[in-house]
C-alpha cells in the first residue's frame, strides 16, 4: 500500500519532470524563433540584392542567365534552413523521448515491485494465479520494449531519408546552376 509520503514524492517528481520538459520545449521554440528571424533577415537582404542585380541588367542575354545564378543560392539556403529546423526538432524530440523513457522505466519498476509485493502477500493456494499474472506482466513489458525499439528504428530510418532527400535537393540545385553557367559560356 502506498504511503502519503510516497504519493507526495511521486507527485513532486512528476511536477519537476513537467517543468523540466516545459523548459526544454521553450528552448526548442526559442531556437526555432531565432532561426526564423535569421532566415527572414537573410531573405530580405537577398531579395534586395537580387532586385538590384535584376535592375542593373543591361542586355537580354544577361537577363536570361540570371535565374540560375539567383536560384542556386536560394535552393542551398532553403535546404540548410530545412536541415536546421529538422535538427532543432529532433534534438528537442530526443530530449522528450529520453525523459519519457526514464519515467516509463520508473513506472515499470514500481509496478513490478507492486506485483512482487502482492505475490508475496497472496494467500496460500493462489500460486497459479500469481504466476499467470506475472507472466502477463512480463509479456506486456516485452510488447512495450519491442514497440519502443521499432519506434527508434523508424526514427533513424526517417532521419536517413530526410538527409538523403536534402542531399539530392542540393545536388540538383548545384547541377542546375552548373548547367546554367555552361549555357551562358556557350
Amino acid at each position: 500500500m502506498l504511503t502519503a509520503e510516497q504519493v507526495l514524492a511521486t507527485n513532486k517528481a512528476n511536477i519537476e519532470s513537467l517543468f523540466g520538459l516545459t523548459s526544454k520545449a521553450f528552448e526548442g521554440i526559442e531556437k526555432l524563433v531565432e532561426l526564423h528571424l535569421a532566415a527572414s533577415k537573410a531573405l530580405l537582404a537577398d531579395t534586395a540584392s537580387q532586385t538590384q542585380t535584376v535592375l542593373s541588367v543591361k542586355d537580354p542575354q544577361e537577363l536570361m542567365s540570371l535565374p540560375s545564378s539567383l536560384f542556386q543560392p536560394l535552393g542551398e539556403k532553403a535546404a540548410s534552413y530545412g536541415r536546421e529546423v529538422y535538427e532543432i526538432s529532433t534534438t528537442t524530440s530526443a530530449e522528450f523521448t529520453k525523459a519519457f523513457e526514464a519515467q516509463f522505466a520508473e513506472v515499470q519498476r514500481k509496478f513490478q515491485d507492486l506485483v512482487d509485493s502482492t505475490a508475496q502477500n497472496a494467500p496460500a493456494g493462489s500460486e497459479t494465479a500469481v504466476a499467470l499474472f506475472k507472466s502477463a506482466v512480463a509479456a506486456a513489458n516485452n510488447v512495450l520494449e519491442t514497440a519502443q525499439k521499432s519506434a527508434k528504428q523508424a526514427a533513424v530510418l526517417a532521419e536517413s531519408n530526410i538527409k538523403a532527400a536534402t542531399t539530392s535537393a542540393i545536388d540538383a540545385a548545384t547541377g542546375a546552376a552548373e548547367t546554367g553557367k555552361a549555357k551562358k559560356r556557350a
Side-chain angles (χ1 to χ4, degrees), residues 35-179:
L35 177 63
H36 291 316
L37 286 174
S40 296
K41 286 179 183 178
L43 181 62
L44 183 61
D46 288 347
T47 302
S49 172
Q50 290 175 354
T51 302
Q52 290 299 323
T53 302
V54 170
L55 292 175
S56 68
V57 169
K58 294 181 178 56
D59 60 40
Q61 185 179 0
E62 190 178 347
L63 182 63
M64 297 304 285
S65 69
L66 281 179
S68 64
S69 66
L70 295 178
F71 291 125
Q72 190 226 354
L74 182 62
E76 291 173 355
K77 288 178 182 179
S80 175
Y81 175 79
R83 279 193 306 268
E84 289 182 51
V85 168
Y86 178 75
E87 182 65 31
I88 291 168
S89 299
T90 55
T91 300
T92 303
S93 176
E95 290 175 8
F96 271 79
T97 300
K98 187 168 45 170
F100 287 129
E101 285 176 352
Q103 286 285 101
F104 184 71
E106 181 64 18
V107 167
Q108 275 185 311
R109 187 190 61 76
K110 286 181 180 180
F111 184 72
Q112 189 61 45
D113 290 347
L114 178 65
V115 168
D116 292 341
S117 172
T118 302
Q120 289 175 353
N121 296 323
S126 62
E127 292 82 15
T128 304
V130 169
L132 183 62
F133 184 69
K134 280 186 169 185
S135 177
V137 168
N141 284 338
N142 286 337
V143 168
L144 290 172
E145 287 175 17
T146 302
Q148 284 178 333
K149 287 178 185 175
S150 296
K152 285 181 183 179
Q153 289 173 346
V156 167
L157 181 61
E159 183 175 350
S160 69
N161 287 343
I162 288 173
K163 285 180 181 178
T166 301
T167 302
S168 295
I170 290 172
D171 291 346
T174 303
E178 293 300 321
T179 302

